[in-house]
Amino acid sequence: MRGLVTVLRRGLAARRVRTATTAIAIAAAVAFLSGTYVLTDTIDAGVHRSAAEATGGVSAIVTEAGGFGGSLFGGTTTIHPGLVAKVRGVPGVSAAEGVAVGYAMPLDRRGHAVSSSAAIGVSAPADPRLRQFALRDGHWPRGADEVAVDATTAGTLHLAPGRTLRVALAGGARTFTISGVVGFGSAGTIAGVSVVAFTPEAAPGLLGTGGRYAAVAAAGEAGVPAAALARRIKAAVGAAYTVRTGSQQADRLAGDISGAASVIGAILGAFAVIALIVATLLIANTFTITVAQRTRELALLRCVGASRGQTARLVILEAVSIGLAGGVAGLFGGIGLAAGLRASLGALGLPLPAAAPVLRTHTVVASLIVGVGVSVVAAGAAALRASRSRPLAALSAGLTATGTRPPGWTRRIVATGVLLAGALLLVTTSARGSVALGALALLVGAGLAGPMLVRPLTAPARRLLPVAAGVCGRLAGRQMLRDPRRVAGTGGTLAVAVATVSIVATLAATTTSSRALDVRRSLRADYVLSTTPGTGAGLDPALTGRIERSPGVSAAAGMPCGIFRAPGDSDKLCGIDPKAYPRLVDPHASAGSMADLGPGTMAVSAVVAGRLGWRLGQTIPITFPVGGTRPTRIVALYDYEEVAGAYLIPLSDYAGHYPPDQQADQTILVRAADGARRQVRAELTALRADYPQAILDDRAGYGHRAAAGIDLLATMMTGLLALSLLIGLITVAVALALSVLERTREIGLLRAVGAEARQIRVIIRAEALATVVTGSLTGVALGLAIGWPLARALNGRVLGPPGVPVPLLAVVLPAAVVAGLLAAAVPARRAARLNVLTALRAE
Amino acid sequence: MPGSVSPTVTTAAAISAVGLSRRYGEGPTAVHALREVDLTVPANSFTAIMGPSGSGKSTLLHCLSGLDTATGGQVFHDDIEITRMSERELTRLRRERVGFVFQEFNLLPTLTARENVLLPLQLAGRRPDPGLLETVIGLLGLAERLDHRPAELSGGQIQRVAVARALVTEPRVVFADEPTGNLDRRSGTELLRLLRRCVGELGQTVVMVTHDPAAAAYADRVLFLADGRFAGDLADPTLPAILDRLDALEDDLGENGAER
Ligand SMILES: Nc1ncnc2c1ncn2[C@@H]1O[C@H](COP(=O)(O)OP(=O)(O)O)[C@@H](O)[C@H]1O
Ligand SMILES: [Mg+2]
C-alpha cells in the first residue's frame, strides 16, 4: 500500500499539467452544478425572508377560502364589510380592518408602465399594527389624492414625497401626490411587484372593489397568542374563510411568490438536471482519456507484479484526490457563478430578491458526489477497460494506441433498438409522458451509439478539412478516427449541451408560429386592446361601452377573465357577449355550436377538453368565486384558443359569478365599419392616454403579441443554457489539451520532418473545429427532433408546420467556429511551442 | 592519433563542425555532453558515429542536424552556418536539406506508409518528383505495403518507410540515430544495405549513430566519441578494426575513470 501511495504521489506530481487540467475540468463542472443550486436556494431564502418581514406585525389574516387566486395582500375580493365587524367583535381582537386590493400601475413620465410584473394597489390600514409594510420616508396618505409607493418603484422613477405620480387604474389613469415611501422590512418590494398604497377610504372606489375586501387584517390584545386569536376568529367566521396567523400568512406568501416565480424555479430545476448531466459527462470524459493514456504505465506496474486490484486502487485513489480538489474548488466557484447568474437574470428583467448566497447541505453533497463520485466511477471503468488487455500486449502497444476495438454486436443492437424506439415514440405519440420518454430514449440511444456514429457524422468535416487546410486538415481528420469513443465523449457532451438549447428554441419557435396561426385564423376584429397578463391589469367595462358607441365602430366586446375550479382542473375562463362575439372572434366550433352559448353553459377548447376527457353535452360542476358550484353544460368544443382562451361562458353568467374587481375586461375586441379603420384606430389610440395599461394591436400585431409570450421564457432558458455550452467547450478544450500531451512525440516527429509551429497550430485548431462543429450540428439535429414532438405534446397540438428556430440556426455555425478556435487556443499554443527535441524524447 | 582531425578528406564537406560543445545545465552539476568537437563529413559518404553509451553520439547527431542548439562552436551545412539559425530557418533546413530516421516512433500512426513518405513534401507544399518517388519505393521494396498503416507493418518495414520518407525530399544529408537498434539481425542487415545503396546509387550523404560494430562496418568511415570528445576515426572500417578501436576506447575510459 505504501508503495502504491508513493507511485500515486509521484504520478500526480510528474503529470502536473495533466493533473491540473483534470482538476480544472472537474472544478468547472462542479461550479456549474453548485452555482445552480446556490442560486435556487438563494432566491428561495430571499423570498421567505421578505414574506416574513411583510406580514411580521399582523396577528391574523382572514381571506376567502375558495382559493381563486389573489395577491400578496389577500385572496379574492369577495369579503363583505359585515365580516370586518364580525372579526372586530371576536374577544381578544383589538383592531380589525378590511384590506382593499386591486390594480394600480405607477407610470413613468412618458406614461409607460413601470414594470411588467404585478402592479398592486392596496389600502393602507389606519391602524399601524395592521399594515404589512413600513413607512420609510414622508407620511401615510391622508386624502384621496395622496398615495405611498414602494421603495423599489420610488427608486426606479426617482420619486420622493411631495412629487406627483400618475397611476393607471382599471377605471382610467389618475394623478396623485406622493405622501410617502414604504418598504417591506429590508426589501424595497416583494417579488418585483409594484405597490401603491391608498387611504382606506379612497382605496375601494379607486380600485373598483365594489365595497368588498380581499382580506381582513386583525391585531390581538396584548397577551393573546396569535395562534389562539386565529382559532377564535376562525370559529367566528366559519368554513367559508381561511384564517392564518401572521407567520402562516408569511409562509403562504412565500409559497405564492415562489409560485409566481415558479417559472424561474422550473427553469432552474430543469437547468440543474442539465447541469448534472453535462458535468457528469465532462468529468467522465476527462478520466476516460487520462486513464487510457496511462494504459502503458499501468501495464508496466502489472508486469512488475502489481495485482489488478492494486492498479485499480491506484487509479481510484488518484481520482479521489483530483476529484476532491476539483470538487471543493468548484463548490466555491459555484457561489461566484450564482451571483453572476442572479445579476444576469436581473438584467433580463426578472426581479429576484436580494440575499446573501445560501450554501445548503444538498449543494455540498451533490457537488462532492459529482466531483468525487463521477471521477471514481469514470476512472474505475476506464481502468477496468485498460486492465482487460494483457500486461505485455499493453506494454508493447504504441504509446497512443488506445482501445479502439469496434463496439460489440450487443451494443450495436441495443443502441439501434433504443434509437428506433425513441424515434417511434417521438413520431407517433403526443402524450407528454411518452414524448418525454421518446426524447430520453433518443438521447440515451445516441449516447450508446456515439462511438459508432463518429465515422459517419464526422465524414463531412473530415472531407472538408483537407480542402481548407491541406495536409494539416488531413492529419486532424485522421486524428478524429483514431479513438471514436473519445471523440464521441467529447463531441457528445457538447452535443447534449447544444441539444438542450435547441430543444428550447425549437419549442419556442414552434409554439410561436402555431399561436400566431391560431390568432390569424380566429380573429375577426380589426383591433385588440389587451392588457399584459400577470400584471393584474384590467379595463373598466365602461370603456368598452364607450368604444362600442364610437362612430365608425361596427362591433366591440370586452372579455373579463377569472379563475374557476372544476374536477381535475383550475384555470382561467373568460366571459363573452354571445351576440357580439361572432363578428369579433371565430374560435371555430368543431363540435356543437357557439350559438348555443347561453346561461348555464360553456364552450371549451377541443384540445383542453380532450386532455380532461370532457365531451360535448356533458355537464361539469364548475366552482366560481361567487355563487359556489354550478352544473355547467358544454355546448361547443372549439379549435382556436389564443384569442378566446380555453373556456368561455356567457357574459351574463360571468357577471354573477365574479366579484366586482374581476369584472374589468382583460381584452377588448373592436371591429371597424367599412372604410372607418383609420378613424377607429385614431380613436382607440386617443383612449390609451387614459388607459395606458391597454395595448393596442391590429390583427397581425396581436398575432405576434400572443405568440411572444413564450419568448422571455426562451430567452432566459437560452441564457442559462449558454452556460452549459461553456461546459461543452471546456470539455473540448480539456480533451484537446490532454490529447496534445499524449501526442507530444508525434508533434516532435512532425516538427522534425519539417512542420512549422504554425502548421502544428492549424492541426490542433482543425481538430477542435471539426469536433465542435460536428458536435453542435448533431446537437441542433437532436434539438429539432425532440423539440418538435415536445411542442406538440406541451401545447396539445401544433398548427401549421413545425417552427424552425432561425436565429439559433443562423448563429450556431459561426458560434461553433469561434468556440472551436477558443477551445483550441491554449492546447494549440502549447503544441506549437513544444521544443522539437524535448517532444521527440517525450514518454 | 585519437583526438586529431582527419585531414585526409579531399571531397567537398557536406557538414563540418568546429569546436562544437553542448552542455546541459549550469554550474557544478552541468553535464558536458559534447566538448569541443571538430569534424567534417564529406558529401556522398556513409559516416558512422560510435562510442560507449552516454558518450554524446545522439547529442552530436542532434547538433549536427539542427534539432538541438549547440552551447559552443559552429556547425556548417556546406558553407552555411546553422548554429545561428532562427527557428523558422531551422524549419526550412529540416524541410529542404536534412532527413531523419529515428530508432523508434518514426511514423505517424494515423497515416498510411505512402502518406508518411509524402508527409514532408506536403508539409512543405511541394510536389513529389514522380521519378524519384518510384526509384525510392522500388529501392526499398515497399510497393506492396504502401497503403498499410504503421500498426500493420513489421519493424523492418517501418524503418524502411522512414528511410523512404527521409529520402523523398532529396536532402543533402540523412541523419539516422540507431536505425537498426530495434530490429532483428536480418532486418537490420537489410536496412544497412539500403542505406549503403542510397549513398552508392542515389549519391546521398548518410550520418548514422550506432553502437553495433557490425552496423558501423557498412560505413565508409567511423567517427569515435568518448566522454563527449572526438576520439579518432577509421576509414574503410572492418569489423575487427572497429572492435579493436572500441576495446582501446573502453580501456582509456577505464583509466580515466580510475583517475577520477
Ligand atoms: N536533455 C538532457 N539533459 C541533461 N543531460 C542530458 C540530456 N540529454 C543527454 N544528456 C546527457 O548527455 C550525455 C550524452 O547523451 P547522449 O548524446 O544521449 O549519449 P549517447 O547517445 O551516446 O548514448 C549523457 O550523459 C546524457 O545523460
Ligand atoms: Mg543515443
Side-chain angles (χ1 to χ4, degrees):
Chain A
M1 197 61 204
R2 162 160 301 189
L4 216 55
V5 170
T6 312
V7 173
L8 169 74
R9 279 221 320 269
R10 294 279 157 75
L12 288 179
R15 295 181 299 274
R16 208 169 294 130
V17 180
R18 188 171 302 175
T19 308
T21 310
T22 314
I24 289 171
I26 295 170
V30 171
F32 184 50
L33 187 68
S34 85
T36 316
Y37 278 72
V38 168
L39 180 62
T40 312
D41 294 338
T42 304
I43 291 175
D44 216 43
V47 162
H48 271 93
R49 202 190 58 198
S50 43
E53 284 175 349
T55 49
V58 185
S59 301
I61 291 187
V62 184
T63 54
E64 169 275 333
F68 293 98
S71 71
L72 284 183
F73 301 111
T76 350
T77 303
T78 50
I79 295 177
H80 195 271
L83 192 78
V84 182
K86 201 184 236 175
V87 172
R88 209 172 275 143
V90 172
V93 170
S94 65
E97 283 180 52
V99 182
V101 178
Y103 172 74
M105 172 68 85
L107 302 171
D108 65 16
R109 262 169 223 298
R110 301 206 318 261
H112 296 313
V114 65
S115 84
S116 56
S117 305
I120 300 179
V122 62
S123 60
D127 191 309
R129 285 173 299 172
L130 302 178
R131 295 176 190 141
Q132 300 182 29
F133 30 78
L135 197 64
R136 284 194 180 176
D137 193 11
H139 59 82
W140 293 96
R142 289 175 188 145
D145 58 351
E146 284 191 341
V147 293
V149 294
D150 70 88
T152 305
T153 303
T156 313
L157 297 182
H158 308 290
L159 300 174
R163 307 282 286 269
T164 58
L165 173 69
R166 203 166 148 76
V167 178
L169 302 165
R174 292 180 57 157
T175 303
F176 297 89
T177 302
I178 293 169
S179 68
V181 173
V182 299
F184 296 78
S186 55
T189 185
I190 306 180
V193 304
S194 62
V195 176
V196 179
F198 304 90
T199 62
E201 296 75 27
L206 290 167
L207 299 175
T209 59
R212 303 293 173 120
Y213 295 113
V216 180
E221 286 165 355
V224 182
L229 190 73
R231 264 199 308 279
R232 280 189 224 165
I233 297 174
K234 174 74 186 167
V237 298
Y241 300 95
T242 304
V243 183
R244 295 190 181 89
T245 65
S247 61
Q248 285 169 340
Q249 176 68 8
D251 286 346
R252 202 198 78 116
L253 202 55
D256 279 4
I257 301 170
S258 307
S262 71
V263 177
I264 308 173
I267 289 178
L268 285 178
F271 184 57
V273 173
I274 293 165
L276 190 72
I277 295 172
V278 181
T280 303
L281 287 175
L282 165 54
I283 297 175
N285 192 48
T286 308
F287 272 102
T288 308
I289 296 175
T290 51
V291 174
Q293 288 180 351
R294 295 173 51 208
T295 305
R296 220 157 87 140
E297 182 195 323
L298 295 178
L300 183 64
L301 278 174
R302 293 282 309 283
C303 285
V304 299
S307 70
R308 243 175 221 205
Q310 279 175 317
T311 51
R313 269 205 300 281
L314 173 69
V315 169
I316 283 169
L317 272 177
E318 194 179 297
V320 168
S321 22
I322 302 181
L324 210 56
V328 171
L331 180 61
F332 291 104
I335 297 177
L337 186 67
L341 274 177
R342 217 186 71 83
S344 38
L345 284 178
L348 273 174
L350 273 185
L352 300 177
V358 176
L359 187 62
R360 289 232 194 108
T361 325
H362 66 195
T363 312
V364 178
V365 170
S367 297
L368 293 186
I369 285 182
V370 170
V372 179
V374 176
S375 300
V376 167
V377 171
L384 189 71
R385 260 202 302 275
S387 75
R388 278 213 200 104
S389 51
R390 284 202 320 280
L392 256 179
L395 254 190
S396 56
L399 181 69
T400 53
T402 43
T404 52
R405 265 180 314 127
W409 278 105
T410 13
R411 185 171 172 141
R412 279 167 197 260
I413 291 166
V414 170
T416 314
V418 174
L419 270 177
L420 281 181
L424 201 70
L425 275 175
L426 285 178
V427 170
T428 56
T429 66
S430 60
R432 291 176 192 188
S434 56
V435 167
L437 194 68
L440 194 69
L442 201 65
L443 287 174
V444 169
L448 283 174
M452 293 170 254
L453 295 176
V454 165
R455 185 176 275 275
L457 288 182
T458 58
R462 282 185 286 115
R463 209 150 299 154
L464 276 176
L465 283 177
V467 178
V471 63
C472 297
R474 199 168 67 223
L475 285 169
R478 289 293 167 81
Q479 183 62 28
M480 305 200 71
L481 292 185
R482 197 160 179 182
D483 188 349
R485 185 186 285 125
R486 181 185 302 182
V487 176
T490 309
T493 306
L494 184 66
V496 166
V498 173
T500 54
V501 178
S502 67
I503 287 173
V504 172
T506 308
L507 192 61
T510 302
T511 308
T512 305
S513 72
S514 169
R515 286 187 184 177
L517 195 62
D518 178 311
V519 170
R520 204 156 59 236
R521 289 189 187 161
S522 62
L523 189 62
R524 294 282 162 84
D526 296 306
Y527 296 105
V528 179
L529 283 169
S530 61
T531 53
T532 311
T535 57
L539 300 164
D540 190 346
L543 173 65
T544 314
R546 247 168 81 194
I547 293 171
E548 213 175 347
R549 290 188 299 274
S550 300
V553 170
S554 78
M559 293 197 335
C561 303
I563 307 285
F564 72 96
R565 286 193 285 120
D569 202 17
S570 173
D571 208 335
K572 197 179 79 165
L573 62 69
C574 298
I576 193 155
D577 175 1
K579 283 201 297 295
Y581 85 83
R583 303 198 53 207
L584 297 165
V585 52
D586 176 15
H588 194 265
S590 53
S593 163
M594 294 297 290
D596 294 340
L597 194 63
T601 69
M602 66 174 170
V604 183
S605 141
V607 170
V608 171
R611 193 170 67 226
L612 294 170
W614 294 358
R615 292 179 317 277
L616 184 72
Q618 197 176 350
T619 300
I620 310 287
I622 302 282
T623 310
F624 300 102
V626 176
T629 306
R630 297 292 175 88
T632 309
R633 192 163 51 89
I634 300 174
V635 293
L637 300 176
Y638 53 81
D639 288 341
Y640 303 128
E641 57 177 62
E642 216 44 58
V643 181
Y647 309 84
L648 287 173
I649 60 173
L651 199 56
S652 50
D653 278 5
Y654 187 93
H657 293 324
Y658 284 86
D661 69 319
Q662 289 186 32
Q663 299 294 333
D665 291 327
Q666 296 195 344
T667 312
I668 302 175
L669 307 168
V670 184
R671 183 150 176 177
D674 288 345
R677 289 179 51 172
R678 290 182 69 168
Q679 180 195 351
V680 169
R681 182 173 194 120
E683 282 164 11
L684 293 175
T685 308
L687 280 176
R688 283 201 58 232
D690 282 338
Y691 296 90
Q693 69 268 42
I695 305 156
L696 174 62
D697 286 302
D698 58 15
R699 289 176 57 178
Y702 189 68
H704 291 306
R705 186 173 308 285
I710 197 162
D711 280 355
L712 175 67
L713 204 73
T715 310
M716 274 166 43
M717 202 69 191
T718 310
L720 284 173
L721 293 172
L723 272 176
S724 66
L725 290 187
L726 195 66
I727 297 293
L729 280 190
I730 294 177
T731 313
V732 176
V734 164
L736 269 181
L738 293 172
S739 163
V740 166
L741 283 179
E742 165 188 59
R743 283 189 283 155
T744 302
R745 235 171 139 175
E746 281 177 49
I747 292 165
L749 180 64
L750 275 166
R751 294 298 306 277
V753 301
E756 294 169 357
R758 185 189 58 83
Q759 288 174 309
I760 303 293
R761 256 196 309 270
V762 170
I763 294 173
I764 307 293
R765 277 196 200 132
E767 192 185 334
L769 278 181
T771 310
V772 171
V773 168
T774 308
S776 303
L777 292 181
T778 309
V780 168
L782 278 174
L784 292 175
I786 293 173
W788 284 327
L790 205 59
R792 200 180 56 218
L794 290 180
N795 293 312
R797 53 98 198 261
V798 168
L799 298 177
V804 176
V806 178
L808 179 78
L809 292 186
V811 125
V812 78
L813 210 56
V817 170
V818 173
L821 292 178
L822 279 179
V826 175
R829 179 142 36 96
R830 232 191 105 76
R833 284 195 183 163
L834 279 175
N835 175 279
V836 183
L837 203 57
T838 329
L840 276 172
R841 286 202 195 117
E843 259 291 325
Chain B
M1 196 174 47
S4 70
V5 185
S6 165
T8 55
V9 178
T10 47
T11 11
I15 290 180
S16 49
V18 183
L20 183 62
S21 302
R22 179 66 167 100
R23 188 185 64 242
Y24 291 109
E26 292 287 336
T29 56
V31 177
H32 294 269
L34 290 179
R35 307 169 197 248
E36 309 260 329
V37 175
D38 301 315
L39 59 83
T40 53
V41 172
N44 192 12
S45 71
F46 188 174
T47 305
I49 300 174
M50 291 204 75
S53 180
S55 57
K57 304 182 294 289
S58 294
T59 308
L60 177 62
L61 194 83
H62 294 150
C63 288
L64 291 181
S65 62
L67 276 183
D68 199 358
T69 326
T71 47
Q74 292 161 302
V75 174
F76 296 90
H77 282 210
D78 297 326
D79 289 328
I80 308 156
E81 184 180 350
I82 69 155
T83 22
R84 288 215 207 123
M85 280 185 169
S86 67
E87 184 54 40
R88 186 174 290 271
E89 289 168 313
L90 284 173
T91 302
R92 270 255 309 272
L93 181 86
R94 291 197 285 270
R95 278 184 176 178
E96 292 167 7
R97 302 187 64 93
V98 300
F100 290 100
V101 180
F102 300 105
Q103 177 175 355
E104 56 172 6
F105 203 75
N106 258 307
L107 305 183
L108 286 187
T110 52
L111 299 184
T112 62
R114 183 200 307 275
E115 289 166 335
N116 265 296
V117 170
L118 294 177
L119 183 63
L121 290 176
Q122 288 176 328
L123 283 170
R126 277 161 62 189
R127 259 174 209 296
D129 175 339
L132 179 74
L133 193 61
E134 229 163 87
T135 316
V136 166
I137 287 169
L139 188 71
L140 299 178
L142 281 171
E144 280 158 33
R145 321 251 35 185
L146 275 179
D147 292 318
H148 289 68
R149 297 273 166 101
E152 301 156 337
L153 298 176
S154 72
Q157 287 166 335
I158 286 179
Q159 293 306 78
R160 275 187 279 149
V161 174
V163 171
R165 189 205 37 220
L167 292 175
V168 80
T169 57
E170 299 179 84
R172 187 81 166 111
V173 190
V174 170
F175 292 96
D177 193 350
E178 313 221 12
T180 58
N182 278 0
L183 299 183
D184 57 61
R185 181 142 298 276
R186 235 191 72 197
S187 311
T189 308
E190 218 171 297
L191 192 77
L192 289 163
R193 288 217 181 97
L194 248 167
L195 289 174
R196 182 72 256 172
R197 284 173 67 193
C198 290
V199 177
E201 295 172 24
L202 301 177
Q204 268 297 347
T205 308
V206 175
V207 179
M208 171 181 79
V209 163
T210 182
H211 62 258
D212 177 4
Y218 281 84
D220 297 321
R221 190 171 69 130
V222 184
L223 301 178
F224 293 94
L225 276 186
D227 199 16
R229 289 201 174 83
F230 184 76
D233 67 343
L234 191 67
D236 300 320
T238 58
L239 191 51
I242 297 171
L243 287 171
D244 284 351
R245 260 320 229 313
L246 284 176
D247 286 347
L249 275 181
E250 295 283 334
D251 292 349
D252 274 8
L253 221 59
E255 281 162 29
N256 284 346
E259 276 166 28
R260 279 180 222 157

